[in-house]
Amino acid sequence: MKKNGWIVIIVTLIALLLPAAGIQIALHGKTVPLDKGQQEMILDGTQSGAAGNGVQTDVSKNGAQTDVSENGAQTDTVPEEPTPAPVTEEQKAYYLSLEAACSDTLSDGTQMRLLATDRACGSSYYTLIGVKDGECTFVNTDPFNGSGGEALFITFPDQETEGRGQTGYAGLAYSGGSLGSFYITEDGGRHFQSLEISEPQIPLSDDTTYCPFIMPEEVYEENGAIYLVMGQGPDGDYHDETGYPSGLYRAEDGRTFRYVKSIYRERAED
């Protein structure tokens, strides 16, 4: 038999035997079964690939899995969340022993405490607990939504008006105390969102404008309205003939704050 004939026979046998041994060759973009290392990488969410059953699987970073069948149909499979371990009495006692960065007491006697439970790069990260009759309830393990800094206050100023008892406010200083964020919760502290306060715009000598009031300092209720005092922070230098003002804001609905006027408070010494 000619040499070329033997080559054809050998190639044919290889093509027949390799799939039987569970091995496939990737040609023209076709997928192949993954080895163990590749499968682990997919389960870790570090790459997407094809499973050995011919069903293509993409695994996202959050663990959600999308299966694509041969007919193009897609189904989402979300892995079950692990059941968290119950909070122990020792853990509750530890949180009760921590000194609150700031707190407020609700009308039912529950004290809402912001506790600094972690620290990194000069910033504190907080947990919000409720304490009543010596019992600790975990309300929110990340009230500032991943942001760190120094908690300034937490308050639930209107416990009497119907529908407002669950509405509270918190302030956070960051960037070394030079900037501040203002937060609102409308479900008793279980969720917070930041509110932007960006007025008034003060004219400068170069024909530009800016808002000097960047640091939330105090929130209180008066005659059914919620008032917010915004200061300039330790680096603020805006002043007029009277002194260094803070901004007073009012929200009739409890969340839409409008500038009312400038007020003058005792300025902290540097």
Side-chain angles (χ1 to χ4, degrees):
M1 184 180 293
K2 294 183 179 181
K3 182 177 181 181
N4 289 343
W6 282 109
I7 293 175
V8 171
I9 293 173
I10 291 171
V11 170
T12 302
L13 289 173
I14 291 174
L16 292 172
L17 293 175
L18 285 182
I23 303 173
Q24 295 181 9
I25 301 175
L27 295 174
H28 307 297
K30 293 182 180 180
T31 58
V32 299
L34 303 174
D35 61 30
K36 184 176 180 180
Q38 290 172 314
Q39 293 178 25
E40 289 175 351
M41 291 178 68
I42 289 178
L43 292 175
D44 290 339
T46 55
Q47 75 174 40
S48 62
N53 58 7
V55 177
Q56 184 172 323
T57 303
D58 290 333
V59 181
S60 63
K61 291 183 179 180
N62 62 8
Q65 181 172 293
T66 302
D67 294 335
V68 183
S69 61
E70 293 181 357
N71 61 7
Q74 295 187 3
T75 58
D76 290 336
T77 304
V78 179
E80 292 184 2
E81 292 289 337
T83 301
V87 178
T88 65
E89 292 302 318
E90 289 77 11
Q91 289 172 314
K92 290 182 180 180
Y94 168 73
Y95 280 91
L96 285 170
S97 72
L98 297 177
E99 183 179 356
C102 42
S103 64
D104 192 27
T105 302
L106 306 182
S107 58
D108 67 355
T110 301
Q111 187 180 58
M112 306 294 282
R113 300 180 184 177
L114 274 174
L115 308 177
T117 51
D118 197 5
R119 189 163 178 83
C121 300
S123 294
S124 294
Y125 296 83
Y126 293 87
T127 294
L128 177 63
I129 68 171
V131 179
K132 184 178 181 181
D133 299 329
E135 291 294 324
C136 170
T137 301
F138 290 86
V139 180
N140 191 325
T141 58
D142 185 17
F144 297 119
N145 304 322
S147 295
E150 178 187 356
L152 301 173
F153 61 82
I154 184 168
T155 181
F156 293 78
D158 190 356
Q159 292 288 298
E160 305 302 326
T161 303
E162 184 178 357
R164 283 193 181 177
Q166 296 289 299
T167 300
Y169 306 88
L172 181 74
Y174 62 97
S175 293
S178 61
L179 296 172
S181 294
F182 181 52
Y183 293 81
I184 182 174
T185 175
E186 295 176 300
D187 58 7
R190 288 181 290 276
H191 302 88
F192 283 84
Q193 67 178 108
S194 61
L195 292 180
E196 295 294 330
I197 308 295
S198 59
E199 57 176 11
Q201 296 300 314
I202 304 298
L204 301 178
S205 58
D206 60 357
D207 295 327
T208 61
T209 62
Y210 88 121
C211 180
F213 309 131
I214 50 85
M215 188 68 67
E217 294 182 347
E218 181 185 2
V219 177
Y220 61 91
E221 183 272 337
E222 187 175 289
N223 297 325
I226 304 298
Y227 288 85
L228 164 68
V229 178
M230 294 284 288
Q232 298 188 44
D235 300 327
D237 58 4
Y238 169 68
H239 65 279
D240 55 23
E241 63 277 3
T242 305
Y244 292 85
S246 297
L248 180 66
Y249 299 78
R250 180 176 62 234
E252 297 293 342
D253 62 357
R255 64 176 297 123
T256 307
F257 287 87
R258 302 298 185 192
Y259 175 74
V260 178
K261 63 180 179 179
S262 293
I263 60 175
Y264 298 86
R265 315 173 84 184
E266 184 176 351
R267 186 176 172 87
E269 296 293 334
D270 294 333

